[in-house]
Amino acid sequence: MFFYNFAIYLYAFIVRIISPFHKKARKMIVGHKQTYKVLKEKVDPDAKYIWFHAASLGEFEQGRPIIEEVKRKNPEYKILLTFFSPSGYEVRKDYPLADIVCYLPFDKRRNVKKFLKLVKPEMAIFIKYEFWYNFVNTLHKQGIPIYMVSAIFRSSQIFFKWYGMDMRKLLKKYTCICVQDTNSAELLRDIKVTNVEVCGDTRFDRVLDIKQQAKQLNIVEAFAKKAAAESEKILVAGSSWPKDEDVIMPYFNMTTDLKMIIAPHEINEAHLKYIESNLQRPYIRYSNAIPEMMADYDCLIIDCIGLLSSIYRYGQVAYVGGGFGVGIHNVLEAAVYEIPVIFGPNFKKFREAQGLREQGGGYSIADTESFRGLMDEFLQYDETLSAAGKHAGDYVRSNSGVVDRVMNVLKL
């Protein structure tokens, strides 16, 4: 643990040193300075708090269904929500169901003591990958129940190495670790960690909720109606990167019976212009469009955030980006609308993509040629397209109900 604590101090030191030159690091340092001030001002000493911690935005979305269910069933509890990354905090700092939102201080012993003295939570719930030794160790010593939700484990992690003994001990201090799959449970039981329940991934419940709350988008609606009137299918390319666009653009440019909605992962001007420079068919940006104009365009470029999860429902096929980089983005947001989901080759670390593929609702492609072959089949054979979409929807539904299982574990 000497090396762990040294690494924490070193990381905090590096973040502080680079903060004048690094926007994300600067936000983190400023946020950390405000944490104790926020807690002193907002913590109600007479209230009971349940503490949720998410590293960033993705983990928050996994934990969000649990927060909402806790709040619905137990309104007497207040919610403390902490983030480690600015990308989560900046987006969700005004999340209405949390009574307090702040940064989690670096996992130093003195920070832990100060934080827990101010908050005194009734229980702590960490999402997916948050293994902060000093926080967990101190919570355990104070008799505060500690839970991990939507966790997933792989044999490459430190817990399963010969030098991971201290971290293995840490796992036993959780009241319960709710894992996504049986493989994770078996890995843990092999190292004598038995405080484990297989509950599944809360993202399945989350995307079903998102589907029920999908926004009505008049511009996209008009674009889809025009495509339907001309018997054309719509490809929704979500969270795309240039390497994804290099694969899908040639096919779109040469295909006359397909329209496309593209929502790139980054919407800076340089990326938008890159997309436009590669399009050989009429296109328009969402910010410049009105419903009456949609008949004149074959491609709608989404140049704003927050719409993608509602846009997938207008497509007949989805392409989810990131698979030609470090890994794919959220395939479940598309699959919930019962449409087949295509993604690049780097998907093996993503259990939901593997499951979707095994179920027959997800497809991995390696290059432009394999994308062309798959799209040709979907456009030519409606029964193939329909069956693939049904498999995608069935996969999401069959893995839902996770929130209820987690709530039973939490006994709330």
Side-chain angles (χ1 to χ4, degrees):
M1 291 322 302
F2 169 81
F3 293 105
Y4 174 87
N5 286 309
F6 176 76
I8 294 294
Y9 275 88
L10 180 62
Y11 180 76
F13 176 74
I14 292 171
V15 171
R16 190 170 290 107
I17 290 298
I18 68 171
S19 61
F21 320 101
H22 191 284
K23 185 178 179 181
K24 187 174 180 180
R26 185 163 60 253
K27 285 184 176 180
M28 184 180 289
I29 292 298
V30 171
H32 280 213
K33 287 181 178 178
Q34 294 175 344
T35 292
Y36 300 117
K37 180 175 181 290
V38 168
L39 294 177
K40 287 175 181 176
E41 290 177 353
K42 294 190 175 182
V43 169
D44 179 353
D46 297 321
K48 293 181 178 181
Y49 284 88
I50 295 180
W51 170 28
F52 285 85
H53 176 67
S56 191
L57 188 58
E59 288 78 13
F60 166 77
E61 289 298 330
Q62 285 187 287
R64 183 171 177 166
I66 307 298
I67 297 173
E68 292 176 353
E69 190 67 1
V70 167
K71 203 69 173 175
R72 187 181 71 83
K73 285 189 171 181
N74 304 272
E76 69 275 16
Y77 284 107
K78 288 184 179 291
I79 302 296
L80 167 67
L81 173 62
T82 60
F83 289 97
F84 187 74
S85 168
S87 57
Y89 175 81
E90 291 297 330
V91 176
R92 294 301 179 196
K93 60 187 176 184
D94 297 318
Y95 177 56
L97 291 189
D99 298 279
I100 305 173
V101 182
C102 64
Y103 280 91
L104 182 72
F106 290 114
D107 190 29
K108 301 175 183 178
R109 290 181 181 132
R110 66 171 183 268
N111 288 347
V112 172
K113 290 179 181 178
K114 189 174 181 181
F115 181 91
L116 293 179
K117 186 177 181 180
L118 287 168
V119 179
K120 299 183 178 66
E122 296 291 313
M123 70 170 62
I125 301 171
F126 296 87
I127 312 300
K128 195 174 184 179
Y129 285 139
E130 293 301 274
F131 304 102
W132 297 112
Y133 188 92
N134 292 315
F135 269 107
V136 173
N137 191 45
T138 306
L139 286 163
H140 179 72
K141 285 181 178 178
Q142 294 182 6
I144 299 170
I146 319 157
Y147 297 89
M148 176 71 67
V149 173
S150 283
I152 191 162
F153 291 85
R154 301 183 184 88
S155 58
S156 59
Q157 290 171 305
I158 189 173
F159 313 106
F160 311 104
K161 305 298 183 181
W162 64 266
Y163 50 83
M165 184 179 297
D166 283 331
M167 295 305 286
R168 286 197 290 275
K169 291 178 182 176
L170 179 73
L171 295 177
K172 295 179 181 180
K173 296 180 179 182
Y174 286 85
T175 307
C176 187
I177 301 172
C178 300
V179 296
Q180 293 186 22
D181 57 11
T182 54
N183 182 62
S184 294
E186 288 167 4
L187 283 170
L188 292 172
R189 284 165 185 153
D190 285 344
I191 57 170
K192 312 301 182 188
V193 177
T194 57
N195 50 329
V196 179
E197 290 288 340
V198 180
C199 293
D201 186 346
T202 50
R203 284 180 297 174
F204 289 92
D205 289 27
R206 177 63 185 147
V207 295
L208 285 166
D209 289 342
I210 290 172
K211 181 183 178 182
Q212 294 299 318
Q213 300 164 19
K215 302 171 185 174
Q216 186 72 28
L217 304 171
N218 293 335
I219 292 170
V220 185
E221 186 86 37
F223 186 82
K225 284 182 178 178
K226 179 60 178 177
E230 297 177 356
S231 300
E232 294 175 325
K233 301 290 194 298
I234 294 177
L235 169 68
V236 178
S239 300
S240 64
W241 295 83
K243 287 183 179 179
D244 300 299
E245 292 142 14
D246 292 344
V247 168
I248 64 180
M249 291 291 194
Y251 182 83
F252 173 71
N253 286 332
M254 62 174 281
T255 306
T256 57
D257 55 350
L258 178 72
K259 290 189 182 296
M260 181 168 68
I261 302 172
I262 183 166
H265 184 72
E266 294 184 341
I267 56 171
N268 57 68
E269 189 63 21
H271 191 191
L272 294 172
K273 286 184 175 178
Y274 178 81
I275 292 170
E276 292 170 344
S277 69
N278 283 282
L279 285 169
Q280 298 171 11
R281 297 173 62 187
Y283 63 83
I284 188 170
R285 295 188 187 187
Y286 185 87
S287 60
N288 295 330
I290 58 173
E292 293 75 19
M293 301 167 62
M294 289 301 96
D296 299 328
Y297 298 99
D298 297 332
C299 178
L300 178 60
I301 303 171
I302 308 301
D303 57 349
C304 51
I305 62 173
L307 302 183
L308 181 57
S309 60
S310 297
I311 287 174
Y312 279 124
R313 79 179 188 272
Y314 295 104
Q316 283 72 52
V317 184
Y319 179 94
V320 175
F324 287 93
V326 295
I328 57 173
H329 294 286
N330 194 339
V331 296
L332 299 180
E333 282 187 337
V336 73
Y337 291 107
E338 299 192 359
I339 59 175
V341 184
I342 305 171
F343 40 83
N346 295 338
F347 69 91
K348 293 187 174 64
K349 289 184 178 180
F350 299 84
R351 173 181 168 268
E352 67 279 9
Q354 293 187 54
L356 193 60
R357 189 167 176 259
E358 291 166 4
Q359 189 89 2
Y363 299 82
S364 174
I365 51 98
D367 49 34
T368 301
E369 289 304 314
S370 54
F371 178 73
R372 178 182 293 117
L374 185 58
M375 286 299 298
D376 280 346
E377 186 173 358
F378 284 149
L379 295 183
Q380 291 174 24
Y381 302 104
D382 284 343
E383 62 274 18
T384 301
L385 180 65
S386 177
K390 183 178 185 304
H391 292 321
D394 288 345
Y395 175 67
V396 175
R397 286 188 294 273
S398 66
N399 284 279
S400 63
V402 179
V403 171
D404 289 339
R405 291 192 284 275
V406 172
M407 292 295 289
N408 287 335
V409 170
L410 299 177
K411 297 180 174 61
L412 288 172

